Amino acid sequence: MRIEYGILVIYNQPIERSSSYATFKDQLSVIVADNSTNEEIRKRNQKQVEKDGNVYLDMKGNQGLSKAYNQAISWIQQKEQKSCFILIMDDDTIFGNDFLQKATQEMNAKQADVYVPIVKAEKQILSPCTIHNGRIKAIHSLLSIHEDTISAINSGMIVSLNVYQKIRYNENLFLEYIDHDFIRQLKQHKYSIHVLQQEIQQNFSVFENDKASAKTRFSILKKDLHVFYGKSLSQHFLYKSILWKRKLRAVIQYKDLSIVWKW
């Protein structure tokens, strides 16, 4: 099994600041889909990525994660005739330099369509996680993971190119829950998922301190949750409860009660 490509979506920052790009720019053919709204940043990123011998895709503004992922996948499908695997990465994920080597060893020992690493934010396990009746919960031990309830975030996910012949990322989702929707599709199509023993560290934006950025993210979350959970009454209740929890967390973090009615 070979991990041949990496997909990285970047937004309004120089590619040199991406820890994951720095790790894999010489190990994989990295397709950088640039969602930056700043044209100067896009020009500099294109110059650097192409200088490194990797592939630059200009999204000409922020088209959202799903469209960027799908465009990168389409590029790979046009170029690649053989079966291979693709590493999905966030720009700020910290991978060990031997991640590919160790992941490949595990993949050779256990066949699957999709592999997910253990993603942590400091000591907290972010991924894999569980999903049951639409409710996503963090885990404290991998023993909590079962085939029918597993979910995971995109960063570090290794996906067979063959999977993308049947499913793609949901372009009705802009930023949030894209990964959980993708896992849901994998299960519907009976694709197998295996949890790797490799650990990576994620600078997850749920922990961000900037209030303005948090408000923008909340607005996107609200729209994406509505798409993910649909219109059923039980799922609508879950959708509302998640939004309220996120609001209350922001009220405590920023000590601003007006968030309750302004966000």
Side-chain angles (χ1 to χ4, degrees), residues 206-224:
V206 73
F207 302 110
E208 64 194 352
N209 293 316
D210 181 76
K211 184 178 177 181
S213 297
K215 183 178 181 180
T216 300
R217 184 104 184 195
F218 181 83
S219 178
I220 295 170
L221 173 69
K222 188 175 181 179
K223 294 176 182 177
D224 286 347

Side-chain angles (χ1 to χ4, degrees), residues 18-246:
S18 169
S19 55
S20 52
Y21 182 75
T23 301
F24 295 117
K25 66 178 182 177
D26 298 320
Q27 297 188 48
L28 293 170
S29 295
V30 181
I31 293 86
V32 177
D34 196 341
N35 264 337
S36 298
T37 55
N38 185 307
E39 188 174 355
E40 287 302 313
I41 289 178
R42 296 204 307 270
K43 287 180 180 178
R44 291 200 302 269
N45 284 343
Q46 180 175 8
K47 183 178 180 180
Q48 185 62 52
V49 170
E50 292 178 350
K51 179 182 177 182
D52 293 334
N54 290 304
V55 178
Y56 179 85
L57 300 178
D58 187 351
M59 299 301 295
K60 301 187 185 305
N62 191 1
Q63 305 299 320
L65 266 182
S66 291
K67 288 185 178 180
Y69 283 148
N70 286 339
Q71 187 159 322
I73 291 160
S74 294
W75 187 94
I76 295 171
Q77 287 177 324
Q78 291 174 1
K79 294 289 183 180
E80 187 62 55
Q81 303 300 320
K82 298 180 180 179
S83 177
C84 67
F85 282 83
I86 301 167
L87 172 65
I88 309 296
M89 62 188 96
D90 282 0
D91 64 305
D92 55 358
T93 307
I94 300 173
F95 293 85
N97 288 326
D98 58 354
F99 175 83
L100 291 181
Q101 178 186 350
K102 290 183 176 179
T104 301
Q105 289 174 353
E106 284 195 58
M107 291 165 65
N108 287 332
K110 176 67 176 180
Q111 186 173 355
D113 299 301
V114 175
Y115 298 86
V116 296
I118 301 166
V119 187
K120 290 186 174 181
E122 297 180 350
K123 295 182 179 180
Q124 179 184 348
I125 298 176
L126 297 177
S127 179
C129 53
T130 63
I131 183 167
H132 182 65
N133 292 330
R135 189 178 296 276
I136 296 165
K137 292 184 178 180
I139 63 169
H140 300 289
S141 167
L142 293 181
L143 296 175
S144 305
I145 294 295
H146 301 284
E147 183 179 348
D148 56 338
T149 59
I150 188 173
S151 195
I153 66 173
N154 279 325
S155 193
M157 191 180 294
I158 302 170
V159 185
S160 169
L161 182 59
N162 294 332
V163 167
Y164 294 116
Q165 293 177 358
K166 288 189 176 181
I167 64 176
R168 290 294 188 96
Y169 296 96
N170 184 353
E171 294 188 4
N172 291 318
L173 296 168
F174 188 82
L175 179 65
E176 303 281 1
Y177 280 59
I178 293 167
D179 30 29
H180 300 303
D181 180 86
F182 184 70
I183 294 288
R184 183 164 62 184
Q185 292 186 69
L186 289 173
K187 293 176 183 177
Q188 289 170 350
H189 286 84
K190 308 298 183 184
Y191 285 116
S192 56
I193 305 168
H194 177 69
V195 180
L196 298 169
Q197 295 303 307
Q198 306 309 308
E199 290 189 9
I200 60 178
Q201 283 288 327
Q202 178 74 4
N203 180 17
F204 206 44
S205 59
V206 73
F207 302 110
E208 64 194 352
N209 293 316
D210 181 76
K211 184 178 177 181
S213 297
K215 183 178 181 180
T216 300
R217 184 104 184 195
F218 181 83
S219 178
I220 295 170
L221 173 69
K222 188 175 181 179
K223 294 176 182 177
D224 286 347
L225 279 177
H226 185 70
V227 172
F228 182 79
Y229 284 113
K231 297 180 179 180
S232 73
L233 185 61
S234 61
Q235 296 294 284
H236 183 73
F237 175 78
L238 185 54
Y239 156 77
K240 287 291 188 181
S241 69
I242 293 171
L243 290 181
W244 271 107
K245 286 179 181 178
R246 190 67 65 90

